[in-house]
Amino acid sequence: MEGPYRDLGAGFARLAGTEGARRSPRHLRSVEDALHELLRNSRDAGANSIYVASSLKERRYRHLVVIDDGSGIPDVYRHLVFEPGVTTRHLDPVHDGGSPHGAGLSLYHIKNAALTAEILSTSSPTAIKTVFDTYTFPEKSLQSDTRPSNTNLLAVLANFASHDPSYLLYHGSPSRIAARLLQNHIIQTRRAAGRNSKGSSIAKEIERVRGEMEGLGLELSSRTVRRIISGEVPAAELVVAGGGGGRAKSKNTRRNGTGGPILSVGAEDLAEIRAVLRRAARSSYLDLAEIELERRPGEVVLRALVYEPEEAYE
Ligand SMILES: Nc1ncnc2c1ncn2[C@@H]1O[C@H](COP(=O)(O)OP(=O)(O)OP(=O)(O)O)[C@@H](O)[C@H]1O
Ligand SMILES: [Mg+2]
């Protein structure tokens, strides 16, 4: 009689139908669900650091790149892991609160839901890139007109980080993640060569780094890579555990002012304030989502929401 799994070598196995179904992760319904499974895979691979680059193209296509410094995937299994039931967790399913995992189905479901899903680098670091058409595979936060769209992805990350803080989790645009990879020496620049030599070898070094980034799924222009190398692009920050990413209303906003006159601020003034803040935001690769100006007796309270743009500026 056939056992519950078939040994594929190198620690891999293919689970047979019933055993797979028993351990099956819940059906993937959204980009957020897919991201959660990718994070879980990186964590289970023993990653110390996980880097998530997200960007949205044409306000429709979500690109997600998950990079980790975990144990990696043997080269010959890079395609096989997308087949149903293929897993290394057959002998030791993972229990992380909910139902046990290890059915070898997440990547299979992700590939089915995505336009593309690929292991771009199998180890040191491992990089998986997925592209979702959010018109056919929804992303919850894109259904809101007012919230910057990646806030819900951030909520997934913050929630994940809060359950198990044993690794460092970074999130940002591809250019910010690239800057972080350089800062963390996951990708190295040959600085000495760049500093002392002529323009042509600097250009070569930029192309070399650009190629390495591209190999990890981070597609950047030469100009952006130049900026990253020269330190102009802020590196992606750590995700704050449990931080959410939604808007926290200040508890003080309804406090009465100090008493005094009320400043009149016209529409033109407001437009100028907005322009100044947007300029400031853009110079640090951010954008301004909205501003609120509250006029109270004796004071003006300005609240500006900034976020990382989805489309990288060139
Ligand atoms: N980031 C990663 N690093 C190393 N190996 C990975 C990574 N992601 C996936 N794998 C390998 O690919 C296999 C298949 O992954 P997949 O998510 O499809 O299934 P699973 O994690 O085994 O089970 P589940 O269906 O519960 O997620 C994993 O068992 C693991 O061996
Ligand atoms: Mg998995």
Side-chain angles (χ1 to χ4, degrees):
M1 209 175 86
E2 212 189 323
Y5 65 83
R6 193 149 62 88
D7 197 339
L8 300 176
F12 281 80
R14 193 191 299 270
L15 291 183
T18 48
E19 180 59 15
R22 205 170 61 76
R23 286 193 205 161
S24 174
R26 66 183 169 25
H27 191 63
L28 300 178
R29 275 188 229 102
S30 60
V31 174
E32 286 85 350
D33 288 349
L35 174 60
H36 189 244
E37 290 303 331
L38 293 172
L39 292 172
R40 202 175 344 228
N41 281 349
S42 294
R43 179 207 56 197
D44 295 344
N48 290 316
S49 300
I50 307 174
Y51 305 84
V52 178
S54 72
S55 54
L56 190 72
K57 311 264 162 137
E58 298 165 48
R59 297 187 176 273
R60 172 170 180 178
Y61 301 103
R62 170 64 66 191
H63 291 228
L64 281 183
V65 180
V66 177
I67 298 170
D68 70 61
D69 60 0
S71 57
I73 301 169
D75 253 342
V76 289
Y77 293 91
R78 72 193 297 164
H79 301 295
L80 208 62
V81 290
F82 291 103
E83 290 187 12
V86 173
T87 183
T88 45
R89 310 192 219 292
H90 49 300
L91 298 177
D92 192 14
V94 181
H95 296 265
D96 60 359
S99 54
H101 289 270
L105 286 176
S106 294
L107 290 180
Y108 169 71
H109 286 316
I110 286 172
K111 184 132 191 164
N112 280 343
L115 292 178
T116 62
E118 259 185 290
I119 314 269
L120 291 178
S121 171
T122 51
S123 65
S124 311
T126 309
I128 299 189
K129 177 167 187 170
T130 53
V131 178
F132 296 99
D133 178 352
T134 62
Y135 285 9
T136 55
F137 188 64
E139 181 170 316
K140 290 173 198 158
S141 45
L142 282 176
Q143 288 151 10
S144 157
D145 293 338
T146 50
R147 291 213 301 174
S149 62
N150 68 17
T151 52
N152 215 51
L153 292 181
L154 257 177
V156 171
L157 292 158
N159 186 35
F160 192 78
S162 67
H163 281 125
D164 180 359
S166 66
Y167 44 80
L168 302 172
L169 181 57
Y170 298 93
H171 171 259
S173 62
S175 52
R176 284 186 170 225
I177 287 293
R180 173 54 64 193
L181 292 177
L182 275 188
Q183 228 172 72
N184 289 9
H185 306 290
I186 302 288
I187 286 187
Q188 315 261 356
T189 48
R190 295 174 191 154
R191 280 188 177 279
R195 222 182 269 138
N196 302 324
S197 48
K198 295 197 177 85
S200 71
S201 62
I202 294 173
K204 258 193 202 155
E205 175 62 1
I206 287 170
E207 286 315 305
R208 189 190 65 78
V209 172
R210 198 173 76 82
E212 279 206 35
M213 297 296 183
E214 198 176 297
L216 298 179
L218 305 173
E219 279 157 30
L220 304 166
S221 66
S222 303
R223 185 160 165 238
T224 300
V225 173
R226 182 185 294 273
R227 285 186 181 160
I228 290 169
I229 291 176
S230 64
E232 286 171 54
V233 177
E237 300 287 353
L238 281 171
V239 173
V240 180
R247 315 182 33 180
K249 269 260 174 216
S250 160
K251 291 206 172 74
N252 291 329
T253 46
R254 256 169 227 111
R255 182 170 54 88
N256 284 327
T258 52
I262 294 185
L263 180 70
S264 100
V265 180
E268 269 179 38
D269 299 323
L270 201 58
E272 270 184 51
I273 294 170
R274 196 190 305 272
V276 168
L277 287 177
R278 171 156 291 161
R279 207 164 53 232
R282 291 202 166 184
S283 72
S284 18
Y285 286 77
L286 296 174
D287 209 340
L288 195 65
E290 57 186 273
I291 70 172
E292 280 169 18
L293 193 84
E294 203 184 323
R295 297 167 302 130
R296 305 188 199 136
E299 67 178 339
V300 174
V301 179
L302 178 70
R303 186 186 156 81
L305 191 66
V306 290
Y307 65 101
E308 265 184 60
E310 293 284 354
E311 311 263 1
Y313 295 118
E314 292 302 339

